[in-house]
Amino acid sequence: MYGMIPVEYRVQNFKVYFNGYHIPNTESIGFEDLAGGYDRYGNYFFLIPMIIMNTIDFEECLKDSPAYRNQLRQAANHIDLLEDRLEQMFKMCNSVINNGKIFVQEFQKFLKCIFDVRELFSTDEIAYKSLGKFGNYLREIQTLFSNLLEQTSHSLLRTLTRMLKDDIRKVKDQGKLFERLSSDYDIALQKNADASKTKRK
């Protein structure tokens, strides 16, 4: 519609922005299209379901406060969710590549059939050239599709594999290390507290 002002929701650095203005304290927002793509003022808006992770406060981290522990749990849940979705993405990407390879093989057979048919029209210049041109166009498409599969395998699939096997694992290992050190620290504090009580007696 002419003259409408676009309303934009976007996500940047795990923060939600509405028309360029940051929406603070946002953990999870789902935008529902209740007006068929337009709000009550006639403004068009597009919808992006999103999950937002709050930034961990370093000062709260030093205090090891309940707020920090809550932020840490939220971050751990976010990592678990990210891992789950990356695994789904990896599986689907792998499936697309495998099915794409089968498609390329069948497509090559189809191309061979076209050129086999062309040989039967060697005395018909128009049909012979037309089938040849058609086959060559399809061969270019097949080459581009094969290159796409190869690039997807080498870039996206490898990146997803590295993220799942290396990056996510390192983050989880650090989380386990923190839990162990935090537990040891709590035990040490308790022992010191008990020792102080014994001395007072």
Side-chain angles (χ1 to χ4, degrees), residues 48-195:
I48 308 175
M50 58 195 71
I51 297 173
I52 307 302
M53 182 179 70
N54 287 334
T55 303
I56 294 178
D57 192 325
F58 183 68
E59 292 184 1
E60 296 295 330
C61 173
L62 293 177
K63 298 175 185 177
D64 197 19
S65 65
Y68 165 69
R69 291 301 181 110
N70 183 51
Q71 291 175 346
L72 196 63
R73 281 193 297 271
Q74 290 180 1
N77 292 336
H78 190 274
I79 293 297
D80 289 338
L81 181 61
L82 175 62
E83 182 181 30
D84 180 63
R85 294 190 177 181
L86 285 176
E87 286 177 349
Q88 293 179 21
M89 186 176 177
F90 175 83
K91 290 178 182 178
M92 294 309 301
C93 181
N94 200 39
S95 176
V96 167
I97 291 174
N98 291 333
N99 290 328
K101 290 178 179 179
I102 296 174
F103 170 78
V104 169
Q105 293 174 356
E106 296 301 313
F107 201 82
Q108 288 174 340
K109 295 177 183 178
F110 174 56
L111 286 175
K112 184 179 182 304
C113 291
I114 292 175
F115 286 103
D116 287 345
V117 170
R118 186 185 68 159
E119 295 304 317
L120 299 178
F121 292 89
S122 57
T123 58
D124 188 331
E125 184 178 358
I126 295 178
Y128 187 83
K129 288 184 177 180
S130 297
L131 287 170
K133 186 178 292 186
F134 177 58
N136 289 331
Y137 284 150
L138 292 181
R139 182 176 288 163
E140 290 180 10
I141 294 174
Q142 181 258 317
T143 300
L144 291 173
F145 190 78
S146 297
N147 291 336
L148 174 63
L149 290 176
E150 184 178 354
Q151 291 300 318
T152 301
S153 178
H154 282 79
S155 57
L156 181 58
L157 204 58
R158 285 186 179 181
T159 301
L160 289 173
T161 301
R162 177 182 55 78
M163 290 182 68
L164 286 168
K165 290 187 176 181
D166 297 333
D167 299 340
I168 297 292
R169 181 177 296 176
K170 287 179 182 178
V171 172
K172 289 197 165 187
D173 288 343
Q174 288 298 315
K176 291 177 182 178
L177 176 62
F178 169 79
E179 290 294 338
R180 181 173 61 81
L181 294 176
S182 180
S183 177
D184 293 343
Y185 177 69
D186 290 339
I187 292 173
L189 287 178
Q190 186 63 43
K191 286 182 178 179
N192 288 334
D194 293 340

Side-chain angles (χ1 to χ4, degrees), residues 26-42:
T26 308
E27 295 181 7
S28 177
I29 291 183
F31 299 101
E32 295 181 357
D33 188 352
L34 301 178
Y38 300 91
D39 64 13
R40 58 180 177 174
Y41 302 107

